[in-house]
Amino acid sequence: MFLVALPGFHLIPRISSIVPESCLLIVVGLLIGGLMKLVGEDPPVLKSDIFFLYLLPPIILDAGYFLPIRPFTENLGTILMFAVVGTLWNSFFIGGLLYGVCQLEGVHLAQVDLLSCLLFGSIISAVDPVAVLAVFEEIHINELLHILVFGESLLNDAVTVVLYHLFEEYSSVGTITVSDVFLGIVCFLVVSLGGIVVGAIYGLLAAFTSRFTSHTRVIEPLFVFVYSYMAYLSAEVFHLSGIMAHDQLSVLVQFDSRLIACGAVTRPYVEANISHKSHTTIKYFLKMWSSVSDTLIFIFLGVSTVAGPHRWNWTFVIVTVILCLVARVLGVVGLTFVINKFRIVKLTTKDQFIVAYGGLRGAIAFSLAYLLKPEHFPMRNMFLTAIITVIFFTVFVQGMTIRPLVDLLAVKKKQETKRSINEEIHTQFLDHLLTGIEDICGHYGHHHWKDKLNRFNKKYVKKCLIAGERSKEPQLIAFYHKMEMKQAIELVESGGGAKLPSALPSTVSMQCVFSRISSASATLKITCSSPVWKVPYEMSHTFRNIQPKKPAQDRALPQLSKAREEEIRKILRTNLQRTRQRLRSYNRHTLVADPYEDGWNEILIKRKKMIELEKKMNNYLTVPAPAPDSPTVTRARLASDPQAWGSKSVAESIPTIKVDLASPQSAETFSVMDESCKKTTKEEDPGLTMKVPAPASKDGKEKPAAESEEDKEPGLKLLRCLSDPGPAGAEEEDEPFLP
Amino acid sequence: MFESCGCKTMGSTNSTLLKIPNAEELMQETGFSASHIVRLYDRFTSLDKEGRGYLCPQDFGAIKELAINPIRDRIIGAFFSPGKETADFQTFVRILAHFRPVDKDRTKEPEPINSRSNKLRYKDGNISREELLKVLRDMLGMQVTEEQLESIADRTIQEADLDRDGAISFEEFRKVSLEKVNIDHKMSIRFLR
């Protein structure tokens, strides 16, 4: 049923702008639960083991894999403070005050003892990563805040669980001694740090394995998942000493830290090793699993609300809700005051507000409460009810209002612009500079250690874990290539015009600057180096068809209205899709055969064919032979849209595309079939291929091997781009191919 | 964070302070506190092994960790104004003052940026393509080819160069770097607060 609800939800954009997805899912769950009750069946409750063993791990793994490491480590101190101290504060504050309230005369709750209250406090004070992710993803706030709240939610599980154990264990015994507290702290450290270490080991193992998988590309993604799962499973082996009675919970904490560590550690190495198809597979699988888990969790929450045993007590519930809010605000403000003394980039009041407001509770709290044994805790049902209320409150009220609040307070949003090469260079330069200054001062600051770690990483670890030449590739170069290829792909996607003059000599990185484009309105500057991205013919064809519709085209002013560009891109995208459907049937083997691993000869042959084809195309199509003006103008026009090249500032809207192809092995042959284009020529190549001809470089072979890697990238990326319609693509149907 | 200079009591701080020429002036100018000045002085003297009262490039070169830094020459060069071969304590402190964390009430905001681009600049105040190439070469070393370096340099300049004069002026540099990288904040070393 949620399958129905989900697309339905997306079709009603108005709702989605007000109501975060999580809310709607809970509502759906409520409906389902209600229905089931009506029917007379017993709706399933979110059992804790299902939750912890099956539903939570994919989300955590996803979070760990895509964790932005740099901001995370830069803010680690702050995050830890919030996670550990903040959670402690919350638990004790809530627990203590609740106890006080319960002791009041008129409340009739005198049987709730201190330990139970504290336990309850500890359960409810945990900020929940699932809820936070669900809501924060939609509001796109800036990276710092996102990582703060999210990091906190990931790391505070350990604290919560230790507290939980502590209180639960000793509420049955009746007293807590100092040594128990001490043991609890030790446990916490062992469990979390141990978990991280083990997870990291598994991550490294996965990376190591991926080094050797060049022949088995299909199952590469599997390795990543297998190792993560193993990290996860082997937690069972780690039974801690008697203080951890509940294996499930200690396992939870270990899971979290393991999975996060495994994912975060694996990623940089694995990504360097595996093919791009595998990379895409991993990415989409992780996203898919975590989305499914996410959805299920919220729905189950809804169902459990209807199903679960309840005991409503007005005072308790309301006091709880209020106390949660108050505790959170006080905690955040107090902690920030202390933290800001140590931070260079201070947290402003706005930031604090968002951090406090973003402390959403979720299913983890519910499951922890569910684990309570009714024998020990007669108040369990009341706790459950209160927790559910708090969850609902935070998710619905806070979740819904956070977006308008973010807008109202003009909180800095996530930067939509891509990282430019300037930034990268500057960041690296700064790192070196600051390390140097620290050395001069004789001060072993954190730059120093970071630098040492990087050096160690480069020297030893990368050599082990990354296959072949990539291990020597400096980060800057890798980044640079990624950027270039991205832009090249965008260029190709947006199509337009025929090829560039390929008569340019074939040395690497020739530049042709079309300065005629730098006119009044759009200062676009496109640099293209030799060869030449052969534009998909249907795209150019389509574009030419669209052209006549536009009135008064001023060639020198390449400004398309946004709507127009959207339309064009839609058309182009659907065109690609159509032709893709005609792809000849593939089996597992052709899917895997990476064209780069084909012989050089094939590439040459294909290239020749393409050239011939092109000649014929040029004759057929009415557009004159490419003057330097037109292709670039058209390209400029189309290229001016992509979101990342937003309208923010002029400097940022300079797309520079440089295609750096040096080595013979570069050519990935694609040629787009345009069935409806009445071409007379036929390509024998299968379905969807687009060609990147390699320069006829005699000196190409002399280039070092590093460049062949670099060149494999463009084609692979192209392949990925073309084979990957993306989520939006699927929904855009109904566009006639050509008018 | 540990410091390689030891702690001193207030008494010895004062006495050391007296040894430092123009200590008061320095403190005013750079905003360093007395203990900082003393610490820096200790460091200065430990670097200045022959006790000459000034540093020359070889002294800097003797710092082990600095030796493996790719841009050490530039860093060392920043301490010596063009033409001079020696750096006295004032210069030392002044340069390091650039790296103090920026407070709101300090008027020295432009300084950090300045010193950063100082390390890249040509005398005429622009970062030219050759300069950029040199920096890139330093940073990336032998691992990349000339062409790659050139294309990176070209691309960098294209992105930042607004008036299209082929070099990055200070203004352009500020725009690109400040907006995105927030150099103010990044270029501070807590130790020097």
Side-chain angles (χ1 to χ4, degrees):
Chain A
M1 241 196 241
F2 70 86
L3 292 167
V4 171
L6 215 46
F9 169 67
H10 279 290
L11 285 175
I12 313 176
R14 242 187 325 130
I15 295 190
S16 73
S17 62
I18 310 177
V19 178
E21 207 173 288
S22 38
C23 298
L24 211 69
L25 288 171
I26 294 187
V27 168
V28 169
L30 283 174
L31 288 175
I32 297 180
L35 272 176
M36 289 177 91
K37 242 203 176 138
L38 281 180
V39 173
E41 275 184 39
D42 224 1
V45 186
L46 182 63
K47 297 229 179 27
S48 300
D49 47 358
I50 300 182
F51 177 71
F52 286 128
L53 292 182
Y54 302 116
L55 289 181
L56 194 57
I59 301 181
I60 304 286
L61 183 61
D62 180 47
Y65 193 79
F66 290 106
L67 194 68
I69 303 241
R70 208 185 159 111
F72 185 72
T73 46
E74 279 175 8
N75 292 301
L76 193 60
T78 315
I79 294 179
L80 278 176
M81 271 288 264
F82 276 128
V84 177
V85 179
T87 313
L88 282 173
W89 155 262
N90 274 351
S91 331
F92 282 105
F93 185 79
I94 297 178
L97 281 187
L98 259 183
Y99 179 64
V101 166
C102 288
Q103 295 299 79
L104 287 180
E105 279 307 315
V107 178
H108 309 295
L109 283 174
Q111 67 272 42
V112 183
D113 59 336
L114 181 61
L115 274 175
S116 307
C117 281
L118 285 175
L119 182 58
F120 178 73
S122 70
I123 295 178
I124 199 132
S125 61
V127 177
D128 186 80
V130 180
V132 164
L133 256 185
V135 168
F136 270 40
E137 253 180 16
E138 296 178 7
I139 62 178
H140 299 298
I141 54 171
N142 64 50
E143 203 178 48
L144 172 66
L145 287 178
H146 188 208
I147 198 71
L148 279 181
V149 182
F150 184 60
E152 178 196 350
S153 64
L154 282 180
L155 296 183
N156 67 12
D157 289 340
V159 181
T160 307
V161 168
V162 169
L163 279 178
Y164 180 91
H165 271 307
L166 209 55
F167 293 139
E168 200 220 7
E169 190 68 19
Y170 294 96
S171 66
S172 37
V173 172
T175 52
I176 309 185
T177 64
V178 177
S179 63
D180 297 323
V181 174
F182 184 66
L183 269 175
I185 297 179
V186 168
C187 247
F188 158 68
L189 286 175
V190 166
V191 162
S192 42
L193 289 179
I196 292 178
V197 165
V198 174
I201 293 180
Y202 274 104
L204 291 175
L205 271 180
F208 190 66
T209 319
S210 70
R211 184 182 173 183
F212 302 110
T213 55
S214 48
H215 297 294
T216 50
R217 295 274 181 198
V218 191
I219 55 176
E220 267 171 347
L222 193 61
F223 283 118
V224 175
F225 297 128
V226 162
Y227 277 104
S228 321
Y229 192 58
M230 271 167 56
Y232 171 93
L233 279 185
S234 64
E236 305 255 316
V237 177
F238 254 144
H239 287 302
L240 290 175
S241 64
I243 200 167
M244 290 285 190
H246 263 286
D247 291 334
Q248 268 185 348
L249 285 180
S250 61
V251 154
L252 159 71
V253 173
Q254 292 187 42
F255 281 175
D256 275 2
S257 34
R258 277 164 204 250
L259 285 176
I260 297 173
C262 183
V265 165
T266 303
R267 185 177 174 205
Y269 304 113
V270 162
E271 277 194 355
N273 276 336
I274 62 179
S275 74
H276 287 271
K277 286 182 209 163
S278 306
H279 173 74
T280 315
T281 312
I282 292 183
K283 192 166 78 160
Y284 277 104
F285 253 92
L286 280 176
K287 290 293 178 195
M288 178 193 82
W289 265 332
S290 58
S291 294
V292 168
S293 287
D294 194 72
T295 315
L296 280 177
I297 287 178
F298 282 116
I299 292 188
F300 260 122
L301 256 184
V303 172
S304 313
T305 313
V306 176
H310 287 304
R311 214 178 109 184
W312 182 266
N313 183 307
W314 277 104
T315 329
F316 192 76
V317 171
I318 294 189
V319 168
T320 310
V321 172
I322 297 178
L323 277 181
C324 278
L325 286 175
V326 168
R328 176 96 184 141
V329 170
L330 285 179
V332 169
V333 170
L335 278 177
T336 320
F337 181 71
V338 174
I339 290 176
N340 270 346
K341 291 200 174 41
F342 297 99
R343 279 181 69 91
I344 297 182
V345 181
K346 313 261 187 240
L347 292 175
T348 66
T349 323
K350 267 195 256 170
D351 294 336
Q352 292 175 35
F353 178 75
I354 297 288
V355 172
Y357 208 68
L360 304 174
R361 293 3 183 228
I364 288 188
F366 179 79
S367 313
L368 283 177
Y370 202 76
L371 275 177
L372 291 173
K373 296 200 186 61
E375 314 86 65
H376 291 164
F377 298 97
M379 296 290 110
R380 174 179 175 255
N381 295 340
M382 192 172 69
F383 286 175
L384 270 179
T385 317
I387 289 183
I388 289 191
T389 317
V390 173
I391 295 180
F392 272 44
F393 181 80
T394 55
V395 172
F396 278 94
V397 174
Q398 284 178 242
M400 275 200 268
T401 54
I402 199 168
R403 197 188 305 199
L405 275 175
V406 160
D407 291 333
L408 193 68
L409 292 176
V411 177
K412 247 186 358 169
K413 294 262 184 107
K414 187 153 64 164
Q415 275 184 329
E416 289 298 339
T417 53
K418 297 189 279 203
R419 233 162 111 90
S420 71
I421 188 99
N422 261 299
E423 270 185 67
E424 187 71 22
I425 292 185
H426 289 157
T427 320
Q428 282 216 356
F429 187 88
L430 272 177
D431 279 340
H432 287 303
L433 178 63
L434 289 176
T435 314
I437 298 285
E438 279 190 356
D439 291 328
I440 291 181
C441 293
H443 165 64
Y444 292 129
H446 77 275
H447 282 106
H448 178 91
W449 295 116
K450 206 163 42 155
D451 192 59
K452 274 220 161 103
L453 186 67
N454 275 337
R455 242 177 259 285
F456 174 74
N457 191 14
K458 218 191 288 199
K459 223 169 149 197
Y460 301 112
V461 182
K462 274 194 181 166
K463 282 226 177 85
C464 280
L465 296 180
I466 300 184
E469 288 303 321
R470 296 294 300 275
S471 63
K472 301 212 193 74
E473 199 177 48
Q475 184 195 355
L476 198 59
I477 298 284
F479 180 79
Y480 172 67
H481 287 311
K482 247 199 248 181
M483 278 190 66
E484 276 207 337
M485 293 320 138
K486 252 194 237 168
Q487 286 207 331
I489 290 173
E490 276 163 6
L491 167 70
V492 164
E493 261 192 345
S494 52
K499 61 179 168 72
L500 288 175
S502 57
L504 294 171
S506 57
T507 49
V508 178
S509 62
M510 286 294 294
Q511 294 180 43
C512 30
V513 176
F514 298 101
S515 46
R516 274 176 265 189
I517 300 180
S518 58
S519 61
S521 59
T523 49
L524 293 175
K525 189 176 195 175
I526 301 179
T527 22
C528 311
S529 61
S530 74
V532 179
W533 291 100
K534 297 279 174 71
V535 176
Y537 291 107
E538 56 166 29
M539 286 183 185
S540 49
H541 190 88
T542 312
F543 181 71
R544 282 179 212 106
N545 276 352
I546 294 174
Q547 259 188 341
K549 290 189 189 154
K550 287 183 47 91
Q553 290 190 14
D554 185 1
R555 280 286 170 94
L557 284 177
Q559 271 293 47
L560 274 185
S561 71
K562 281 248 153 78
R564 197 77 216 152
E565 284 171 337
E566 249 325 295
E567 212 183 326
I568 294 175
R569 287 169 86 236
K570 249 204 238 175
I571 293 177
L572 296 176
R573 220 180 287 136
T574 37
N575 290 345
L576 268 185
Q577 279 193 306
R578 299 282 169 109
T579 51
R580 208 176 296 123
Q581 286 159 17
R582 313 262 181 141
L583 198 63
R584 309 244 180 96
S585 68
Y586 56 87
N587 53 23
R588 224 180 329 128
H589 301 290
T590 48
L591 193 64
V592 168
D594 208 359
Y596 277 158
E597 278 122 46
D598 287 341
W600 171 224
N601 291 329
E602 273 195 43
I603 295 167
L604 270 182
I605 295 174
K606 286 185 180 171
R607 182 174 180 225
K608 282 206 200 103
K609 279 197 216 150
M610 281 307 290
I611 295 180
E612 288 168 45
L613 187 60
E614 229 173 62
K615 290 201 195 119
K616 293 181 186 159
M617 281 298 295
N618 276 335
N619 292 335
Y620 171 71
L621 295 171
T622 52
V623 171
D629 224 1
S630 52
T632 50
V633 167
T634 55
R635 198 175 307 115
R637 222 168 299 165
L638 283 174
S640 68
D641 181 46
Q643 295 98 329
W645 303 335
S647 49
K648 293 218 176 112
S649 77
V650 171
E652 295 167 21
S653 64
I654 301 177
T656 54
I657 299 121
K658 196 164 298 186
V659 174
D660 210 359
L661 299 173
S663 125
Q665 253 103 26
S666 67
E668 163 94 357
T669 50
F670 292 95
S671 66
V672 174
M673 292 307 296
D674 181 7
E675 266 79 21
S676 60
C677 182
K678 300 174 214 70
K679 276 194 305 207
T680 50
T681 58
K682 273 254 166 33
E683 268 281 325
E684 288 102 53
D685 291 338
L688 183 73
T689 43
M690 189 160 71
K691 184 156 76 176
V692 170
S697 52
K698 299 106 199 153
D699 46 328
K701 299 191 180 65
E702 288 144 26
K703 297 284 189 317
E707 292 200 14
S708 67
E709 291 296 336
E710 141 216 348
D711 294 308
K712 288 187 190 192
E713 293 241 76
L716 282 172
K717 288 250 177 190
L718 261 184
L719 187 58
R720 172 159 68 99
C721 133
L722 286 179
S723 62
D724 178 18
E731 298 181 32
E732 286 165 79
E733 285 291 327
D734 309 316
E735 193 84 32
F737 178 40
L738 281 177
Chain B
M1 310 274 158
F2 8 101
E3 308 159 11
S4 63
C5 326
C7 317
K8 293 201 170 199
T9 62
M10 269 317 282
S12 57
T13 311
N14 277 332
S15 63
T16 327
L17 206 56
L18 294 174
K19 271 196 266 168
I20 304 171
N22 304 326
E24 283 299 322
E25 250 181 66
L26 269 181
M27 277 165 58
Q28 282 245 327
E29 190 189 326
T30 58
F32 277 128
S33 69
S35 53
H36 269 119
I37 299 273
V38 168
R39 267 200 293 239
L40 290 173
Y41 188 71
D42 286 335
R43 182 66 182 166
F44 183 80
T45 42
S46 68
L47 286 176
D48 178 17
K49 295 196 177 58
E50 301 169 19
R52 288 166 303 191
Y54 56 83
L55 294 175
C56 54
Q58 291 86 333
D59 294 322
F60 280 106
I63 305 176
K64 228 185 332 120
E65 290 89 1
L66 204 54
I68 42 179
N69 195 316
I71 54 171
R72 68 177 168 285
D73 294 321
R74 288 178 182 272
I75 300 179
I76 298 177
F79 280 89
F80 300 98
S81 20
K84 286 181 68 178
E85 275 295 307
T86 58
D88 59 357
F89 184 59
Q90 330 277 33
T91 329
F92 186 68
V93 172
R94 276 198 205 105
I95 303 277
L96 286 179
H98 285 158
F99 293 95
R100 291 196 63 211
V102 173
D103 287 332
K104 275 187 243 173
D105 46 336
R106 290 183 52 215
T107 51
K108 283 191 174 295
E109 272 86 0
E111 288 307 315
I113 316 166
N114 261 321
S115 85
R116 155 74 171 96
S117 58
N118 268 334
K119 308 222 183 320
L120 275 188
R121 266 190 205 175
Y122 250 172
K123 297 175 186 73
D124 60 355
N126 279 342
I127 304 174
S128 73
R129 188 168 173 269
E130 287 71 31
E131 278 289 293
L132 201 55
L133 262 182
K134 250 200 282 176
V135 172
L136 283 173
R137 210 173 285 133
D138 286 335
M139 284 209 292
L140 298 173
M142 291 292 111
Q143 296 157 357
V144 294
T145 66
E146 263 312 298
E147 285 87 357
Q148 282 178 316
L149 281 180
E150 282 181 21
S151 30
I152 295 182
D154 290 325
R155 192 199 176 117
T156 312
I157 294 191
Q158 272 149 19
E159 277 184 1
D161 195 8
L162 301 172
D163 54 4
R164 241 155 285 283
D165 56 359
I168 307 180
S169 73
F170 182 56
E171 273 313 307
E172 290 164 349
F173 175 79
R174 271 192 75 163
K175 228 178 172 192
V176 173
S177 321
L178 258 198
E179 279 173 4
K180 298 210 191 154
V181 183
N182 206 352
I183 286 199
D184 276 349
H185 285 142
K186 289 229 165 132
M187 212 166 94
S188 9
I189 300 191
R190 255 165 259 201
F191 164 71
L192 294 171
R193 182 187 293 270

